[in-house]
Structures are given as C-alpha cells and as structure tokens.
Amino acid sequence: MTYPDIRPRRLRRTPALRRLVAESGVAPRQLVLPLFVREGATEVTPIASMPGVVQHTRETLKKAANEAVAAGLGGVMLYGIPEHKDAVGSGGIDPHGILNLAITDVVAEVGDELTVMSDLCLDEFTDHGHCGVLDGDGNVDNDRTLDVYATMALAQAAAGVDLVSPSGMMDGQVRMVRQALDAAEHSEVGILAYSAKYASAFYGPFREAVASSLQGDRRTYQQDPANRLEGVREARLDVAEGADIVMVKPAMGYLDVLAAVKDAVDVPVAAYNVSGEYSMVEAAAAQGWIDREAAILESLTSIHRAGADIVLTYWALEAATLLRS
C-alpha cells in the first residue's frame, strides 16, 4: 500500500521530533506575573475565587519579586489595594500610597533584574469603583480623568517604575501620560497600554482580588466584545500616541483580536490571561475534569501562537517551571 503519499504524522512520532518542529513556544522571559499588595496587611490574604493567588503584604511582595527573578520571568505587574477610597481615587496619586510604595519596594529589592510594571488606573482607589472621576450625572468624565492619569503616572515614575500601564480605556490616555512623563524628564519610563480592553464577563475574580467597589458596569468606556476592528483601531491609536507596548485583554476569548493587532502594529504586543480564564481552569482541574498542567501550557501556547510577545498570567511562576521540565 503506497497511499497516502504525504504523511505529516512522521514528524509527530516522538517527543524529540515534536520539539524539533514546534512552531510556537513560550519562554519564561515572556511571562509577566500580576501581583496584588494590600495596604496595612500583616499577612497574606488568599483570594477565594482565584486558588493559589493572594493579596500580599509589602514584605511578602518582595519575596514574590525575588521568586519571579529566580524563575526567569520577564516582569511583574503591580496592583495596590488601599485601606481608604474616595471619589477621585486620591490614593493612586499619593506618593505614599500603597501602589507607589510597592513600586519602590520591588525596585529596591530586585533592581534591573526584573521589569517592574504598574497598573495606571483609578478603579482600585475610587469608592464608586470606576476607572475615572465622575461628572455631575455619575458618568466617567474622560478629560478630567486624563489629568489624574498624568499625575498618577508621575507618581509611579518617581517611585521607580519601568513601565506604566494605563488601563482605564480613556480616549487620549497614552498621549496625556507620555507628554506628562516627558515634560517631567521621565522619558525613560515606558508605556504598556491596555489598548484593546473589553467589557468582559471574565473579570469577576479580579474584582475580589482588588476589593472592587464597582456597582454597574464599564460598558461606556471598555470595548464591546462584539467588535474586532475597533480593537485594532484602538491599538493603532495608542501606538501613534506613544505606546511602547500594546495589550489585548482578555486573551483566550479574543485570540482573533490579538492576531489582528499583531499584524497591525510594529511594537511588541501583550495579552492578559485574565482572572476568569485562570479560575475556570483551576475549578475544572479541582473536579478532575481536565489535566491541569497540560491545560495551563496549552492556554499559554495558544495566546503566544495568536501573536502575543508577552503574556500576563497568574500561572507565570508555575508555568516557568513546567516549561523547563
């Protein structure tokens, strides 16, 4: 029997052959670990909806940063959880606020061994839970929020951050932040822009992680999940405004957007493997319904294959170990 003449299965026969011809492969250096630090905490607080993820104290945050260095990760993304919130998110611009202190702590601990990134948004700091300041009708005021973002960027830059990460999806946020940084002689600080950030149902566990006060939704400023081309447009706008890296969030449900953005821009592209994506795998694995480690690696490979140069994931530390095994 001679048919079939072409046998692609020949290159799948052994693990060594499969490794030899693999088209996509995630490396630890491409992974970024999101970390949460809670003001006033004296011990870590487990996040019930995200098994294995915690709110850190300032001390345990430094330990986590050292673990990220040892694992060969590309960086960490920091989120602060303040003890007190107000209508304008003043804790985010306070030089002694928890996020800015955390930046300084981590930079002092690991220096240039790890890229330190920080979320530049007000939702963790506002008592209404929105990503910006509100107008008299209770709507997010885009332009007033830009002024606050500029001040917040300067506070994070003064704390020593490598990349600020505007994530509020305000129109013009990247340009405002870039201009503020450059005018204050912080031109070395880069911008990782949350460019295509969708109003997704997969953020639920994250709300617990940051103790969100949000009532309602963010559909007036985050993108409609139905729209792909809009995500590409947003990424192009951010590059034109000075973004050094653009990001698509979430990742798994938006691989088509990720691929389109990768084709459209000439800067590195990141994707955020968000809390709901993480928690679904963890929940299914806890029930014995899926192979957990295989699902982790398959998830991250698919995100990289679709075009992500950088992947933010809560599995970053574990995945780094699995990738070396």
Side-chain angles (χ1 to χ4, degrees):
M1 181 178 177
T2 58
Y3 180 83
D5 298 320
I6 299 172
R7 297 181 181 270
R9 284 182 55 192
R10 291 191 189 105
L11 298 183
R12 304 173 196 149
R13 186 174 56 83
T14 68
L17 276 169
R18 293 193 293 272
R19 287 194 303 271
L20 178 69
V21 299
E23 298 173 21
S24 299
V26 186
R29 64 175 179 81
Q30 297 173 296
L31 303 179
V32 173
L33 178 65
L35 292 170
F36 306 100
V37 57
R38 189 180 192 103
E39 186 174 19
T42 57
E43 59 184 12
V44 297
T45 303
I47 300 166
S49 57
M50 300 176 68
V53 182
V54 302
Q55 295 172 343
H56 283 280
T57 70
R58 287 177 66 184
E59 285 303 313
T60 64
L61 180 70
K62 290 187 284 188
K63 179 182 177 183
N66 278 300
E67 289 173 345
V69 171
L73 300 188
V76 292
M77 176 69 75
L78 303 180
Y79 297 89
I81 305 157
E83 288 185 298
H84 304 290
K85 304 180 182 183
D86 58 30
V88 295
S90 57
I93 63 176
D94 181 356
H96 301 290
I98 183 59
L99 179 54
N100 294 318
L101 291 176
I103 293 168
T104 300
D105 287 344
V106 173
V107 170
E109 187 71 15
V110 298
D112 294 333
E113 295 181 275
L114 190 69
T115 303
V116 180
M117 313 173 191
S118 54
D119 184 49
L120 200 167
C121 194
L122 294 179
D123 58 322
E124 296 103 302
F125 300 96
T126 54
D127 53 15
H128 47 73
H130 279 287
C131 297
V133 295
L134 304 183
D135 62 20
D137 296 322
N139 300 310
V140 174
D141 187 321
N142 189 95
D143 295 359
R144 283 179 60 211
T145 299
L146 293 182
D147 291 333
V148 181
Y149 283 4
T151 304
M152 194 172 183
L154 295 180
Q156 294 181 0
V161 78
D162 296 308
L163 295 171
V164 295
S165 304
S167 63
M169 290 299 290
M170 298 296 118
D171 294 340
Q173 64 184 16
V174 172
R175 177 166 293 163
M176 179 65 84
V177 167
R178 184 71 271 158
Q179 290 176 345
L181 290 169
D182 290 351
E185 299 185 353
H186 286 300
S187 59
E188 78 285 355
V189 176
I191 298 176
L192 188 166
Y194 288 61
S195 299
K197 183 178 180 181
Y198 287 83
S200 173
F202 292 97
Y203 301 150
F206 181 89
R207 305 274 165 81
E208 180 191 353
V210 297
S212 174
S213 304
L214 180 67
Q215 300 294 318
D217 59 53
R218 299 183 174 124
R219 294 184 181 277
T220 61
Y221 47 102
Q222 293 179 355
Q223 288 179 235
D224 185 340
N227 296 349
R228 180 176 65 88
L229 292 179
E230 183 184 18
V232 175
R233 183 187 184 209
E234 289 275 13
R236 284 175 167 159
L237 284 170
D238 282 354
V239 172
E241 291 181 13
D244 299 285
I245 303 170
V246 296
M247 184 155 68
V248 175
K249 180 181 179 182
M252 294 294 292
Y254 295 84
L255 296 179
D256 60 324
V257 178
L258 176 57
V261 167
K262 179 63 175 176
D263 287 341
V265 302
D266 58 359
V267 300
V269 176
Y272 202 138
N273 181 209
V274 299
S275 59
E277 297 167 348
Y278 171 91
S279 295
M280 287 193 302
V281 170
E282 292 293 338
Q287 294 294 322
W289 295 336
I290 59 173
D291 181 329
R292 180 178 174 277
E293 292 184 354
I296 290 171
L297 293 180
E298 186 175 340
S299 297
L300 299 180
T301 299
S302 72
I303 296 167
H304 175 62
R305 188 185 65 236
D309 304 294
I310 301 162
V311 182
L312 282 74
T313 177
Y314 303 100
W315 287 309
L317 283 174
E318 182 176 1
T321 300
L322 294 174
L323 289 166
R324 291 192 177 96
S325 63

